[in-house]
Amino acid sequence: MTQPSNAPFSFLYQDRGGQIFLSLLLAVTLLVPILNVAVSPESALHVPSYMVSLLGKYLCFALLALSVDLIWGFAGILSLGHGAFFALGGYAMGMHLMRQIGDRGVYGDPVLPDFMVFLNWQELPWYWYGFDSFAFAAVMVLLVPGALAFLFGWFAFRSRVTGVYLSIITQAMTYALMLAFFRNDMGFGGNNGLTDFKDILGYDIQGDGTRLALFVASALALALGYGVGRFIAASRLGRVLVGVRDAESRTRFLGYRVEYYKLFVFCVSAMLAGIAGALYVPQVGIINPSEFAPANSIEIVIWVAVGGRGTLYGAVLGAILINYGKTYFTGALPEAWLYVLGSLFILVTLFLPKGLVGSLPAFSLPRKQESPQAHAGEDKPSDTPHPPSPTSEARP
Amino acid sequence: MVFRMLSVLLLMGGFLIPTVAFAAGSFEDALANLNSRKFKDKQQAITRIAESGDARALVTLEALLAGQLFTRKSDKKVLIGEKSHEVYRLTDPLTGQETGQAPSKELKKIRINNKLRGLLRGAIGGLTLLSPDPDKRLAAADAVFKARSADMVPVLEKALQREEESQIQERLARALAAIQASHNQDPAQKVIAIDQLSHYSEPDVRALLGNIAQNDESEIVRDAAQKALERVEQDLARWALLGNLFQGISLGSVLLLAAVGLAITFGVMGVINMAHGELVMLGAYTTFVVQDVIRSAAPELFEYSLFIAIPAAFIVAGSVGMLIERSVIRYLYGRPLETLLATWGLSLILQQFMRTLFGPTNQEVGTPDWMSGFVEITGGLVLTYNRIAIIVFSLFVVLLLALILRKTAFGLQMRAVTQNRPMAASMGIRTGVVDMMTFGLGAGIAGMAGVALSQIDNVSPNLGQTYIIDSFMVVVFGGVGNLWGTLVGAFSIGIVNKFLEPVSGAVLGKIIVLVAIILFIQKRPRGLFALKGRAVES
Amino acid sequence: MTNKLRALLAAGTIAGTSLITGFAQAADTIKVGVLHSLSGTMAISETTLKDAMMMMIEDQNAKGGLLGKKLEAVVVDPASNWPLFAEKARELISKDKVDVVFGCWTSVSRKSVLPVFEELNSLLFYPVQYEGEESSRNVFYTGAAPNQQAIPAVDYLMSEEGGEAKRWVLLGTDYVYPRTTNKILRAYLKAKGVAEADIMENYTPFGHSDWQTIVSDVKKFASAGKKTAVVSTINGDANVPFYKELANQGVKAEDIPVVAFSVGEEELAGLDTGPLVGHLAAWNYFMSVDTPENDAFIAQWKAFIKDDKRVTNDPMEAHYIGFKMWAQAVEQAGTTDVDAVRQAMYGQEVKNLTGGVAVMNTNHHLSKPVMVGEIQPDGQLETVWETEGVVKGDAWSDYIPESAKLTADWTYPWVCGNCEKPKFAVMAE
């Protein structure tokens, strides 16, 4: 199984961790709808609709974490602003859902959403055009985060902005976007954002069936995201990326146009985040600028780190566990949950430097072809202003 | 001749005696009238007290303004009460004698509103124009200027004649001109007064001139006021530009303070210290605790509380910093990005810890008198003392830090460890201790910043979160590992921000600055003052 | 390898079952959900409300509970995270099966949970002054609507006693409450003959901490020769630096009074109010009001929180009124069933802490007195003006054309939160 195979989609089941992950995901995707619909509510095994949405939300976060792992774990790009792409995807979907409300809004205006009526807007701003079509919105979900990532990456990677500098300007990006979306004059509903959605594709957004469908869609999106990620990682491109991660300058000197590789994977990652956002919005029923908050983006990185980076499913595990922890502890220990969560982050960093999955041998990738040195380098992402250690490589 | 003088004296005396008698009665009546529930009645009462010419008027009015005038519920008597611990020490305004004590339950405060407050200040101003205390005379001149009561003209003229200090003379002249410009019957006199006023480039004068320019009956007066107004406005606009610069520097100094500790922990050591903001918060809370202790133990030290808080905050935040370094961060050297994760966890814990310890609400940190208020360079340029203090303090901190880095053995060791750890270690430097001290220094400085920030911002568990992003931005913009860069970076961001703000609004201004930083980093991927050499590439 | 796998699967199963088993719980108590942020940016305001709720529930239990059952508080922490509010609301209603929820502070948190309450048909008591323009069947709004706070305050400042302000600065944080309030105020001021040029509107982001420019702008605007007043809808954290800047730049209340709608005793507790004396706030409750009910409430609060320095504020009174009304409605209905309790809520009366009686109207808003108070050196607000009698909360403002025509009335024949004509008009005829 560890041998490279030429069978189609072999990249999906080359490693054991991926196998376990995919089978678990499949099991959950099948079981949850069954337990929700077919099992009587009195039974201990029944999954209430409330849980379905919650699980759906976790899966969206998982996809988001996966998208971060794709660039951080494989290309060494630490984005502290990935929440921005997630939120943009969410806004694209939210705008579609807003347009679907039609004249059922509070003020009954057939065209303008309530907040625009309220702020005395006379007509729909141009950037809202087209969002009444689901197909258009779906394209925008990919296109807007992708375009922003392209623009941002184009400048940043070509100028060889790396390491912490890159991390901090991604943070500046999401912070600037947050401030911009907070402005009511922007036409995105300001602080309240977009809310009060009625239906999606003609189905009541609060219906149990819709919830299930969204849950399954999230699971499929996650599987798809995983497939894309694995495909990239297993391809030649992926190997170059690992090269970039471990020794960017050396890769460049070998003749690779490092910036294009980075740009490509950055855009893919942004689009995955956008999809996650788009699926997240109908399930939680609100999108607002706080999703752009830098703290949110930092948290995403933490999910990945806790789960273990460079594996994709590690990120998924991290996202689901931490979010489940949040759900559980904010209810069970409302006054002390930050202590629990904070200590968890510290303990994981100290004692499980490779994250949860990295600490389980069953999950480590059989990357025998890589040199041990490259492995060592994994924990030292290149461009940080830390005193160089004797083992650090890649001095030009 | 002698007879005439005598008769005049007699006449005057005869005139005076009944007045005093009448005034005395009027003072007592008016005092009782303060009891009324209606603000209108109180207003009349205040006017009568002020006009009574009674020696007791001033004390009474001052007590009323300070909220120290009470009605005793039992006998409806108006009394002055000074709070001492749980009870009020009472004085009878009529006799000036102490009349025992009462708990707050037995007293009812005589309430005033803004209108009465303005009236009171004017009245007190009139009564203190001739006071021997120059500060009081100055305050009186301004109060009379605001009240603009025509009755004040004779007193003002007298005061102006007597006055010897030029600053107070100027204020008195301003008040007189203002009253003449508003109340004189003769338009020509008004125009002269307006011309005098036009030399005062102050917002208050601008307001007065604007009012006259719109509302005066005489066209000549309106025109004169209009011209004067233009002149004042020109002056004010020029000063506003300087004011903007000051505000920019002030914002820059706040950013600098918030970032300078990070310039050590992040810039020098490479620890992505997400708990930096919380170290600043610790400093702010230390200030609160220091002031709290001082308030209860030694109130006379309050004016110096910040000077006690600065070293205390340095020690508290520094020790916490060293503790963090020893228990967490030292295991993470070589994995700097992971310090992000651990310090984020720490920041959550510290926030919640302060919430548990002090409660979630804001804590009150007082401003010592020497730091409150402002200095008027001219009326158009107002520099607040607390901002000046913070600017000075921020420069002092940077200077101190530069000295430590450049001139001390510890600084030398620190730089050695930063530049080449194994070499430093082999030269006998205990790198572990140096690491601990360096992180402690960065944390301690963050704590000192907290003392300054407690003067202008909330002292709450969220304090740190407000500044963390800005701090990183400043350090990265200036160039990681470069103190000079942090300094220049902070001030340029501050000044640019403040010049954008009036044009674009606060939010858009901030967005523009952020985008500008992003673009700037493309041009200079290592910040304003990049470290040169191979070390940075690693 | 298989061991690890098994361990992981086991862990997953445990996590899964613990989620599921959480749902099965017996209902021998009446459960009251408390949905206030205990961490994050809003903890500063909301934690107090959580404590106030705990105090009142404890008090009710000491009196024997309700319908012979004990009350049980279910406290969760939505962590100032708006989507988490929705999730927690759903958890409270679906999983914990609470009978009523007291919670939320910001408008966006209310908007976030609103669909959940409507879908699951539960009740939310919302205790904070807000922008109006809403009337949900599942929410009772115990805070002030704009006509119970903003308009009376402006009336006061325009009056002779308040200083006859002619020029207005509307300062706010950029979100829906200030935007709405200022929109209403602008329309109102224009109706009162204030010219466009005499109104300045300015919005700042949340947590804005550098007020130098804006305060100097205000001073500049005020120096145009007309009496100027500032109406502040600045939110939460930004207030302390704002007032510190006002104090330092020497903006005196006699010259430029600032009236605030989001600043109460709690916010002032973090400030040295000496230089701010005379600036104003408009609320439905002040701690300084001298009534036996208020004295008792303050004493109870101080004893409960074990801190003699803690203050009470308007949203606490709103919760006090809301909780009392709900308890009365439950007693009257003889059940905690949502529909029955809702019916019983209409016309329910509770004595205000400041005197007079609050009444729940059929538009789910209260009738309450409005007061304007001035800041005192000790951090208290003292009433300088109050309405005669109570003012009825108006869900839809009369000063916004598109909402002036809407009516909120949840009783027959309207049964509607935003209609132009009764829903059951035909049947009514």
Side-chain angles (χ1 to χ4, degrees):
Chain A
M1 266 199 301
T2 56
Q3 297 302 312
S5 150
N6 290 327
F9 301 112
S10 63
F11 58 86
L12 280 180
Y13 41 85
Q14 265 172 357
D15 65 292
R16 194 169 311 280
Q19 286 168 11
I20 300 170
F21 163 67
L22 281 179
S23 10
L24 269 178
L25 183 62
L26 182 72
V28 169
T29 316
L30 290 177
L31 268 178
V32 167
I34 294 172
L35 292 179
N36 175 242
V37 177
V39 177
S40 79
E42 281 77 40
S43 159
L45 284 175
H46 175 74
V47 174
S49 297
Y50 145 71
M51 275 296 301
V52 175
S53 280
L54 202 55
L55 289 172
K57 187 175 123 176
Y58 293 164
L59 292 181
C60 294
F61 286 148
L63 179 57
L64 175 58
L66 188 146
S67 78
V68 169
D69 193 22
L70 187 60
I71 52 167
W72 189 27
F74 291 91
I77 306 168
L78 176 59
S79 164
L80 292 182
H82 237 56
F85 303 120
F86 178 78
L88 284 174
Y91 264 98
M93 178 55 89
M95 284 159 83
H96 169 67
L97 297 176
M98 274 323 256
R99 299 289 285 118
Q100 289 301 297
I101 296 174
D103 60 3
R104 286 170 291 174
V106 170
Y107 299 113
D109 192 296
V111 180
L112 295 180
D114 283 338
F115 69 88
M116 287 190 195
V117 178
F118 184 70
L119 289 172
N120 286 339
W121 292 49
Q122 296 308 318
E123 53 188 68
L124 207 61
W126 59 269
Y127 44 82
W128 276 75
Y129 291 162
F131 276 97
D132 41 345
S133 140
F134 182 79
F136 180 83
V139 172
M140 283 299 149
V141 163
L142 292 172
L143 213 58
V144 174
L148 177 67
F150 183 81
L151 195 74
F152 187 88
W154 175 260
F155 283 115
F157 299 139
R158 265 168 39 112
S159 317
R160 300 193 192 168
V161 180
T162 47
V164 239
Y165 290 90
L166 185 79
S167 305
I168 299 296
I169 63 167
T170 51
Q171 205 174 35
M173 173 191 77
T174 193
Y175 188 47
L177 279 169
M178 177 179 83
L179 291 175
F181 274 75
F182 263 134
R183 297 184 69 227
N184 275 288
D185 300 334
M186 283 279 286
F188 293 107
N191 177 54
N192 274 16
L194 309 175
T195 178
D196 205 17
F197 308 131
K198 305 284 188 214
D199 48 30
I200 177 167
L201 290 171
Y203 296 99
D204 177 13
I205 205 155
Q206 292 179 332
D208 286 352
T210 323
R211 280 186 201 291
L212 265 184
L214 283 167
F215 166 77
V216 173
S218 308
L220 288 179
L222 181 59
L224 179 83
Y226 180 76
V228 169
R230 271 262 69 90
F231 178 75
I232 291 176
S235 66
R236 208 178 128 265
L237 172 83
R239 311 220 163 263
V240 176
L241 286 175
V242 172
V244 171
R245 178 190 71 193
D246 293 339
E248 179 163 344
S249 306
R250 193 183 292 177
T251 318
R252 184 173 282 123
F253 292 130
L254 287 173
Y256 292 102
R257 295 296 298 271
V258 169
E259 55 270 27
Y260 295 148
Y261 288 92
K262 283 166 102 174
L263 186 56
F264 173 76
V265 76
F266 193 58
C267 289
V268 170
S269 164
M271 287 195 245
L272 287 178
I275 295 175
L279 286 163
Y280 168 81
V281 168
Q283 300 191 66
V284 299
I286 182 169
I287 175 80
N288 73 69
S290 62
E291 299 293 341
F292 285 104
N296 279 23
S297 294
I298 292 170
E299 227 176 80
I300 303 165
V301 170
I302 285 172
W303 302 339
V304 178
V306 167
R309 62 201 174 95
T311 59
L312 297 182
Y313 48 78
V316 172
L317 182 72
I320 292 178
L321 275 186
I322 292 184
N323 279 294
Y324 171 68
K326 236 180 165 175
T327 301
Y328 180 74
F329 288 120
T330 49
L333 299 168
E335 317 244 11
W337 69 277
L338 278 173
Y339 292 123
V340 178
L341 214 62
S343 324
L344 178 78
F345 297 159
I346 297 171
L347 293 177
V348 166
T349 331
L350 288 182
F351 298 110
L352 304 174
K354 291 179 175 175
L356 290 174
V357 293
S359 315
L360 303 175
F363 282 90
S364 17
L365 276 179
R367 281 185 292 182
K368 291 204 181 84
Q369 56 273 51
E370 286 172 31
S371 69
Q373 209 191 358
H375 248 308
E378 190 182 319
D379 294 324
K380 281 195 244 62
S382 31
D383 297 84
T384 43
H386 188 74
S389 57
T391 54
S392 63
E393 74 292 8
R395 296 274 184 74
Chain B
M1 189 68 196
V2 173
F3 173 76
R4 265 182 72 188
M5 271 183 73
L6 263 177
S7 68
V8 170
L9 270 176
L10 270 174
L11 259 174
M12 279 177 72
F15 181 69
L16 276 174
I17 292 156
T19 318
V20 171
F22 167 74
S26 121
F27 176 72
E28 275 139 29
D29 287 353
L31 194 65
N33 275 354
L34 283 176
N35 255 333
S36 166
R37 283 182 64 85
K38 285 191 185 144
F39 284 114
K40 271 233 169 75
D41 297 345
K42 290 187 195 175
Q43 192 178 334
Q44 280 175 356
I46 291 170
T47 319
R48 277 175 63 195
I49 291 176
E51 285 168 357
S52 68
D54 197 294
R56 299 163 292 186
L58 183 60
V59 182
T60 314
L61 294 181
E62 277 175 340
L64 182 56
L65 184 64
Q68 288 175 335
L69 210 57
F70 296 86
T71 314
R72 186 152 59 198
K73 284 177 184 170
S74 52
D75 58 0
K76 301 271 178 254
K77 217 167 149 46
V78 176
L79 296 165
I80 297 171
E82 255 182 287
K83 195 163 186 178
S84 68
H85 304 289
E86 291 307 301
V87 290
Y88 287 88
R89 276 212 321 270
L90 300 174
T91 317
D92 190 336
L94 292 175
T95 60
Q97 303 292 317
E98 288 217 11
T99 55
Q101 298 178 333
S104 62
K105 278 272 148 213
E106 291 175 15
L107 300 170
K108 194 165 185 290
K109 189 156 121 191
I110 297 179
R111 287 182 185 171
I112 51 175
N113 62 10
N114 282 326
K115 198 165 179 177
L116 296 188
R117 222 169 258 130
L119 187 70
L120 277 170
R121 273 190 223 281
I124 293 172
L127 295 174
T128 51
L129 268 176
L130 301 172
S131 155
D133 179 355
D135 285 343
K136 276 197 175 164
R137 291 204 301 275
L138 191 67
D142 287 347
V144 171
F145 167 80
K146 275 183 187 150
R148 277 200 280 292
S149 155
D151 309 341
M152 292 288 169
V153 173
V155 196
L156 259 179
E157 279 171 341
K158 196 169 162 195
L160 198 55
Q161 267 175 6
R162 275 197 196 176
E163 189 57 59
E164 283 167 0
E165 286 193 35
S166 64
Q167 195 200 358
I168 304 176
Q169 267 178 357
E170 219 175 82
R171 310 311 282 174
L172 288 169
R174 180 180 80 138
L176 193 59
I179 295 175
Q180 298 291 12
S182 338
H183 295 297
N184 203 304
Q185 301 298 323
D186 179 7
Q189 289 290 327
K190 276 192 176 182
V191 172
I192 294 170
I194 287 170
D195 187 53
Q196 275 179 329
L197 279 175
S198 76
H199 297 284
Y200 296 88
S201 311
E202 293 165 19
D204 286 342
V205 173
R206 179 175 178 267
L208 173 64
L209 290 173
N211 196 354
I212 297 173
Q214 279 165 19
N215 301 328
D216 202 88
E217 290 147 11
S218 151
E219 203 182 321
I220 312 166
V221 175
R222 284 205 302 270
D223 283 350
Q226 189 61 39
K227 276 209 189 95
L229 188 62
E230 277 160 24
R231 183 169 161 187
V232 169
E233 275 181 349
Q234 262 179 10
D235 266 10
L236 282 178
R238 215 172 301 135
W239 287 114
L241 212 63
L242 266 181
N244 242 342
L245 188 68
F246 173 75
Q247 290 168 356
I249 292 173
S250 159
L251 177 62
S253 70
V254 170
L255 291 174
L256 177 63
L257 273 176
V260 71
L262 198 68
I264 302 288
T265 52
F266 171 59
V268 175
M269 300 182 78
V271 176
I272 304 184
N273 185 10
M274 283 295 171
H276 172 73
E278 278 60 42
L279 293 167
V280 175
M281 172 192 80
L282 279 182
Y285 270 95
T286 310
T287 319
F288 164 70
V289 173
V290 165
Q291 288 198 349
D292 212 40
V293 171
I294 284 180
R295 272 198 196 107
S296 54
E300 67 279 3
L301 282 177
F302 188 77
E303 286 297 295
Y304 311 101
S305 59
L306 294 187
F307 295 106
I308 301 167
I310 288 170
F314 183 83
I315 291 167
V316 169
S319 330
V320 172
M322 287 200 273
L323 192 72
I324 292 173
E325 202 277 341
R326 280 296 90 181
S327 57
V328 179
I329 290 176
R330 71 162 158 162
Y331 302 105
L332 302 174
Y333 289 125
R335 300 188 274 144
L337 286 179
E338 259 140 83
T339 57
L340 168 98
L341 179 75
T343 50
W344 180 257
L346 271 170
S347 97
L348 295 184
I349 293 176
L350 281 173
Q351 276 178 50
Q352 194 65 16
F353 181 68
M354 294 318 264
R355 212 168 266 143
T356 319
L357 204 60
F358 291 95
T361 48
N362 281 331
Q363 301 299 336
E364 182 192 335
V365 171
T367 308
D369 282 340
W370 59 270
M371 256 182 93
S372 24
F374 51 85
V375 51
E376 278 187 84
I377 303 295
T378 75
L381 183 60
V382 170
L383 309 182
T384 53
Y385 284 127
N386 70 342
R387 298 273 172 185
I388 296 174
I390 288 174
I391 294 172
V392 172
F393 181 61
S394 72
L395 294 175
F396 163 76
V397 168
V398 172
L399 193 72
L400 189 74
L401 198 56
L403 281 180
I404 292 177
L405 289 182
R406 295 279 152 211
K407 301 284 178 201
T408 63
F410 166 59
L412 189 68
Q413 292 179 353
M414 199 172 113
R415 282 181 292 145
V417 173
T418 312
Q419 282 165 12
N420 196 328
R421 177 178 298 268
M423 187 64 86
S426 59
M427 298 301 280
I429 295 174
R430 293 163 68 194
T431 57
V433 175
V434 172
D435 280 337
M436 181 180 80
M437 299 288 282
T438 313
F439 198 86
L441 177 68
I445 287 174
M448 282 161 70
V451 179
L453 293 184
S454 73
Q455 290 299 313
I456 52 167
D457 211 334
N458 295 288
V459 179
S460 79
N462 301 333
L463 172 71
Q465 293 294 305
T466 331
Y467 290 99
I468 185 77
I469 296 168
D470 287 337
S471 309
F472 271 100
M473 227 58 85
V474 166
V475 174
V476 164
F477 175 66
V480 172
N482 190 317
L483 205 57
W484 176 239
T486 307
L487 180 85
V488 176
F491 282 114
S492 21
I493 292 178
I495 292 170
V496 168
N497 211 325
K498 280 295 154 189
F499 274 89
L500 276 173
E501 201 180 310
V503 187
S504 61
V507 194
L508 215 54
K510 203 158 184 190
I511 295 173
I512 295 172
V513 168
L514 285 170
V515 173
I517 292 177
I518 294 177
L519 292 177
F520 179 83
I521 292 292
Q522 318 296 335
K523 267 272 159 242
R524 294 185 73 109
R526 307 219 160 263
L528 208 51
F529 294 91
L531 281 187
K532 302 218 165 52
R534 293 170 114 200
V536 293
E537 273 298 312
S538 64
Chain C
M1 176 201 77
T2 40
N3 279 345
K4 300 277 183 186
L5 175 60
R6 227 173 267 159
L8 191 82
L9 281 175
T13 325
I14 290 165
T17 42
S18 70
L19 261 180
I20 291 161
T21 46
F23 291 96
Q25 281 188 4
D28 46 2
T29 54
I30 293 176
K31 288 190 173 178
V32 179
V34 180
L35 185 65
H36 283 301
S37 297
L38 309 178
S39 58
T41 49
M42 291 314 296
I44 188 169
S45 307
E46 289 193 65
T47 311
T48 310
L49 292 186
K50 188 254 332 178
D51 291 333
M53 280 312 298
M54 300 308 281
M55 175 182 87
M56 287 183 278
I57 290 169
E58 197 176 85
D59 184 51
Q60 189 72 32
N61 279 336
K63 288 181 194 154
L66 269 178
L67 305 177
K69 295 181 192 170
K70 288 277 173 210
L71 296 181
E72 179 190 343
V74 184
V75 180
V76 293
D77 177 17
S80 313
N81 174 331
W82 321 134
L84 196 59
F85 262 94
E87 183 192 316
K88 289 283 142 194
R90 199 172 277 280
E91 184 183 308
L92 282 175
I93 303 165
S94 299
K95 186 183 134 200
D96 297 316
K97 309 248 182 276
V98 296
D99 297 290
V100 63
V101 177
F102 290 80
C104 296
W105 182 288
T106 57
S107 287
V108 57
S109 67
R110 189 191 70 250
K111 291 268 184 211
S112 174
V113 300
L114 195 65
V116 178
F117 279 90
E118 289 183 347
E119 179 197 344
L120 302 171
N121 191 26
S122 185
L123 285 182
L124 170 70
F125 282 77
Y126 176 69
V128 183
Q129 100 282 10
Y130 84 119
E131 66 278 5
E133 304 298 298
E134 190 180 294
S135 173
S136 165
R137 193 161 179 247
N138 297 89
V139 182
F140 284 101
Y141 306 82
T142 51
N147 72 317
Q148 289 173 303
Q149 200 183 14
I151 291 190
V154 165
D155 276 340
Y156 170 72
L157 286 173
M158 281 196 282
S159 72
E160 204 228 316
E161 204 173 275
E164 293 172 284
K166 299 267 187 284
R167 215 163 140 85
W168 300 84
V169 182
L170 311 179
L171 289 184
T173 302
D174 191 3
Y175 75 109
V176 66
Y177 169 67
R179 289 255 176 195
T180 316
T181 307
N182 289 345
K183 184 177 174 181
I184 293 169
L185 284 183
R186 199 176 255 274
Y188 184 71
L189 289 174
K190 276 191 192 155
K192 291 275 174 180
V194 177
E196 186 72 29
D198 284 335
I199 304 176
M200 168 178 149
E201 223 173 314
N202 184 300
Y203 294 99
T204 41
F206 279 92
H208 190 68
S209 60
D210 194 285
W211 290 93
Q212 301 178 80
T213 311
I214 291 166
V215 171
S216 6
D217 282 355
V218 168
K219 282 169 88 176
K220 197 174 156 211
F221 187 79
S223 66
K226 290 182 187 166
K227 175 77 182 176
T228 305
V230 177
V231 177
S232 152
T233 38
I234 296 163
N235 175 271
D237 277 6
N239 275 308
V240 169
F242 172 63
Y243 279 102
K244 284 190 177 170
E245 192 66 39
L246 276 184
N248 281 317
Q249 291 206 25
V251 176
K252 289 247 164 28
E254 300 101 271
D255 306 332
I256 312 175
V258 177
V259 60
F261 305 146
S262 308
V263 176
E265 291 84 350
E266 186 107 275
E267 286 75 15
L268 292 177
L271 273 170
D272 173 13
T273 50
L276 299 171
V277 170
H279 288 302
L280 305 133
W283 288 104
N284 307 121
Y285 168 86
F286 289 127
M287 187 181 175
S288 67
V289 175
D290 196 9
T291 64
E293 289 86 4
N294 197 20
D295 289 349
F297 183 74
I298 294 168
Q300 191 190 1
W301 170 243
K302 285 184 170 168
F304 179 84
I305 208 79
K306 298 188 185 66
D307 180 354
D308 207 36
K309 283 186 189 149
R310 282 295 284 274
V311 292
T312 55
N313 63 7
D314 178 278
M316 282 171 71
E317 193 218 17
H319 257 346
Y320 166 85
I321 295 174
F323 181 75
K324 285 231 149 169
M325 279 191 176
W326 173 78
Q328 286 174 9
V330 167
E331 291 283 6
Q332 206 170 317
T335 167
T336 56
D337 178 78
V338 167
D339 293 313
V341 171
R342 178 171 32 231
Q343 281 311 314
M345 278 297 289
Y346 303 128
Q348 205 64 251
E349 292 182 352
V350 166
K351 262 182 137 179
N352 288 314
L353 292 176
T354 55
V357 175
V359 188
M360 180 53 76
N361 299 304
T362 55
N363 64 358
H364 285 209
H365 289 66
L366 285 174
S367 293
K368 295 206 281 190
V370 186
M371 311 168 200
V372 175
E374 285 186 354
I375 297 177
Q376 301 299 310
D378 57 357
Q380 288 292 324
L381 289 154
E382 276 192 357
T383 319
V384 288
W385 180 87
E386 69 184 299
T387 51
E388 287 170 27
V390 292
V391 178
K392 184 185 166 191
D394 193 4
W396 301 99
S397 173
D398 296 338
Y399 297 96
I400 301 176
E402 55 274 12
S403 72
K405 57 193 178 194
L406 296 176
T407 300
D409 187 340
W410 286 104
T411 53
Y412 183 81
W414 281 84
V415 202
C416 181
N418 57 325
C419 290
E420 290 180 40
K421 54 178 185 288
K423 246 185 184 168
F424 293 92
V426 187
M427 279 193 266
E429 273 161 17

